[in-house]
Amino acid sequence: MLKRIITGVAVLGLALGGAVATASTASAQTGTGCNYTGSEPTLSEWSSNAVAVQQLQCELNRSLNPASHTPLTVDGSFGPNTLNAVRTFQGCAGDGVDGSVGPQTWASLDFWAYSPNYVC
């Protein structure tokens, strides 16, 4: 009898654990929001790669608290507003503040854009 109870609890635990894992995975996949490109080229002010700039702008909007930072228009234009947002993000993330979006800034953006918190 005890063996049946233990087996039943173990099966129930596996079933619940699987359901929880499935729910969090599905949530992460459907809640991304920034699906312009998977390419992460080095970008700077007036970069002409509009799709990559849209990805950047979207991830910046997801990383910076809209209560204290004006959200960017996701238009693919790396102008002064995007430059200011990049510099703000870099300062908050502890990256070097140079306004250029290279591998280190992309890695930080990838983390903060999909985090439940804002970097600042």
Side-chain angles (χ1 to χ4, degrees):
M1 176 74 161
L2 183 58
K3 184 176 180 181
R4 283 186 183 179
I5 293 172
I6 292 172
T7 302
V9 169
V11 170
L12 180 61
L14 288 173
L16 289 176
V20 171
T22 302
S24 64
T25 302
S27 175
Q29 291 174 354
T30 59
T32 58
C34 299
N35 296 313
Y36 296 94
T37 183
S39 174
E40 296 181 340
T42 298
L43 300 172
S44 58
E45 190 172 23
W46 307 118
S47 288
S48 61
N49 188 335
V51 175
V53 174
Q54 286 176 304
Q55 183 71 27
L56 168 66
Q57 292 166 328
C58 181
E59 290 192 24
L60 285 166
N61 284 342
R62 292 177 58 93
S63 300
L64 298 171
N65 188 336
S68 55
H69 300 91
T70 303
L72 296 167
T73 301
V74 180
D75 60 5
S77 176
F78 195 137
N81 292 337
T82 301
L83 177 61
N84 289 336
V86 167
R87 288 181 174 154
T88 297
F89 174 83
Q90 289 173 326
C92 294
D95 295 339
V97 179
D98 61 5
S100 178
V101 182
Q104 182 177 355
T105 301
W106 276 117
S108 294
L109 275 168
D110 291 341
F111 173 80
W112 285 106
Y114 304 105
S115 169
N117 301 309
Y118 296 109
V119 68
C120 64

